[in-house]
Amino acid sequence: MSLNVRTVTASEYPDWLRAVQNGFLTPGSPSDEAVAERLEDTDLSRVLGVFDGGRCVGTFSSFPQRLTLPGGSTVVADAVSAVTMAPTHRRRGLLSRMMTDDLAAARERGEAVATLVAAEYPIYGRYGFGPATWSTEWEVSVHRAGLDPRRSGQPADGGRVELVDGADIRTYGPGVHARLAAVRPGIVSRDERWWKKHTGVAARSPYEKWDEPFYAVHRDADGTVDGLMIYSADGKWSDGGQPVNTATVRELIAATPAAERALWLFLCSVDWISTVRSGTRAPDDLLPLLLPDPRAARPVTHTDWLWLRMLDVERALEARAYEREASLVLDVRDASGPAAGRFLLDASPDGARCTPTTRSADLVLGAAELATLYLGDESARRLVDLGRADELRSGAAEVADAVFRTGRRPWCPDVF
């Protein structure tokens, strides 16, 4: 029987969700309530399925997402999600068909880039995606951190940390997130359902188990909430009758370094907590160096996170900010087409202009490599040394690094 790749109807959506769960090895069926709630926030014209007879065997979806760029501006990205294929139907080009259709539609809509979080590294490079942010998780041994337990619980600058409930997080969270997004490249937009889901209000699928966490916010000296944290504790005790709890951070965002510092030090001062797991953080996160003994924080996970694909090079490169003035001619190779071309980038702190050109190239690189440079995390010099870019004008890689790289590494705290 022939395979049919097409958009999904409302009546087929429950079967599509079951196929997503099967693809991620999470058996079970979503409740009618969960299906109905998801449908309210889903544009079915951007939900694709592979159907073998009447059964959904492959899934793909996308949605509009705002991505923060260096300098604080944003672009609308085509956020790709829920990509699965049944093990019985792999290696037939079905994902390629869905990806090609989706990226073509995204470019037609005027979206300059596409984003995703890759479950497996080798898959998406062949579609022109490259890792644009990375993630690190730390485990902190509180007893080795060197903190003074008498002074670490509350900040000394007039601010304060308060325990709150989920409703408070839904109230204050969007504002804190917006302030963070204005200063940190890599942050992606969150809708109302995100805040409901992460505070236990939204309906959940069987594989999305919910245990009520603890919530805390930081207020500055004027009383404004400028940071928040969601964390859980495992309630473990040693054989000797001593509490040895591990606190796991589910969410910590802060609009200021002072708020971030206060929330970390507060959590490390909670009685009965002997270990803190940081959750998803940027590789250059402040946490280790906030501790008197940074070795008390050891990295336990380091991995690629947000992947990016260029769809419109001219619009994308003009959208972000640059801290120095320079001109570069980039010859971008893209087998799939939308990012291919030779472009002159004239960058300056006052703005940028990117136009097609016939001038000789300074750097030759693939669309995936340009994507890794875009948010400021990767080094052009390293790409050249790896053989993933060619430097045709001496010193061009150093110029590219001075133009593209940022003071803080981009960070995406979300999975989607």
Side-chain angles (χ1 to χ4, degrees), residues 57 65 79 89 97 121 124 159 230 291 322 363 369-370 411:
V57 296
Q65 176 189 76
H89 290 72
R97 287 171 60 183
Y121 193 99
Y124 294 100
I230 305 173
L291 307 175
Y322 303 89
L363 282 174
E369 283 66 41
L370 180 58
W411 176 46

Side-chain angles (χ1 to χ4, degrees), residues 60-412:
F60 189 109
S61 70
S62 68
F63 60 92
Q65 176 189 76
R66 287 219 160 259
L67 170 68
T68 301
L69 308 179
S73 62
T74 63
V75 292
V76 177
D78 176 49
V80 174
S81 183
V83 179
T84 73
M85 190 62 60
T88 53
H89 290 72
R90 290 177 179 157
R91 308 295 185 265
R92 304 190 193 185
L94 298 168
L95 172 56
S96 295
R97 287 171 60 183
M98 292 190 290
M99 183 69 77
T100 299
D101 290 349
D102 179 80
L103 295 182
R107 184 172 169 83
E108 184 69 22
R109 288 190 297 265
E111 292 157 358
V113 300
T115 55
L116 57 83
V117 177
E120 296 183 65
Y121 193 99
I123 296 174
Y124 294 100
R126 66 179 183 266
Y127 302 116
F129 286 83
T133 78
W134 291 71
S135 172
T136 303
E137 181 178 13
W138 279 273
E139 182 177 276
V140 178
S141 174
V142 173
H143 301 308
R144 294 193 56 193
L147 296 169
D148 184 343
R150 298 168 299 175
R151 296 185 174 88
S152 59
Q154 291 287 354
D157 59 1
R160 65 186 186 276
V161 175
E162 297 176 353
L163 288 173
V164 296
D165 59 26
D168 295 309
I169 297 297
R170 293 191 294 275
T171 297
Y172 297 120
V176 175
H177 184 266
R179 290 179 62 184
L180 174 63
V183 297
R184 194 66 183 262
I187 299 293
V188 297
S189 55
R190 294 174 174 176
D191 58 16
E192 183 181 2
R193 187 178 185 279
W194 190 99
W195 295 100
K196 289 182 177 179
K197 177 180 176 181
H198 288 80
T199 54
V201 174
R204 311 178 76 82
S205 297
Y207 64 92
E208 296 176 311
K209 293 182 171 52
W210 176 255
D211 295 313
E212 185 71 16
F214 300 96
Y215 306 97
V217 298
H218 175 267
R219 294 183 183 273
D220 65 17
D222 295 327
T224 300
V225 173
D226 57 0
L228 64 89
M229 177 169 55
I230 305 173
Y231 65 96
S232 58
D234 59 6
K236 289 187 177 179
W237 292 69
S238 72
D239 292 339
Q242 297 293 324
V244 288
N245 280 244
T246 294
T248 299
V249 175
R250 303 184 187 181
E251 169 80 356
L252 192 157
I253 58 172
T256 67
E260 187 174 348
R261 173 189 175 91
L263 289 167
W264 282 126
L265 297 187
F266 162 78
L267 186 58
C268 289
S269 73
V270 174
D271 286 344
W272 296 6
I273 297 297
S274 60
T275 303
V276 169
R277 296 282 297 231
S278 72
T280 300
R281 309 300 302 172
D284 64 345
D285 196 77
L286 302 180
L287 173 59
L289 297 180
L290 292 174
L291 307 175
D293 184 353
R295 291 186 186 180
R298 69 180 181 93
V300 292
T301 302
H302 178 71
T303 187
D304 55 281
W305 199 252
L306 183 73
W307 287 56
L308 191 144
R309 206 257 193 251
M310 311 298 285
L311 297 177
D312 186 330
V313 172
E314 295 166 64
R315 287 186 56 227
L317 292 187
E318 288 181 350
R320 60 155 286 176
Y322 303 89
E323 294 186 359
R324 62 161 288 178
E325 186 173 342
S327 292
L328 278 168
V329 177
L330 305 173
D331 192 340
V332 183
R333 307 294 171 84
D334 185 7
S336 300
R342 188 173 297 175
F343 305 93
L344 170 62
L345 173 64
D346 287 314
S348 79
D350 296 324
R353 179 74 173 154
C354 182
T355 55
T357 184
T358 58
R359 285 174 44 177
S360 299
D362 299 322
L363 282 174
V364 179
L365 71 172
E369 283 66 41
L370 180 58
T372 68
L373 294 174
Y374 182 55
L375 296 182
D377 196 54
E378 185 54 270
S379 158
R381 177 77 264 161
R382 188 163 79 154
L383 292 177
V384 170
D385 291 346
L386 287 168
R388 293 173 53 191
D390 293 324
E391 184 181 43
L392 302 187
R393 177 171 64 86
S394 178
E398 282 70 24
V399 173
D401 282 341
V403 168
F404 279 98
R405 302 208 72 176
T406 54
R408 291 291 302 275
R409 296 181 69 172
W411 176 46
C412 178

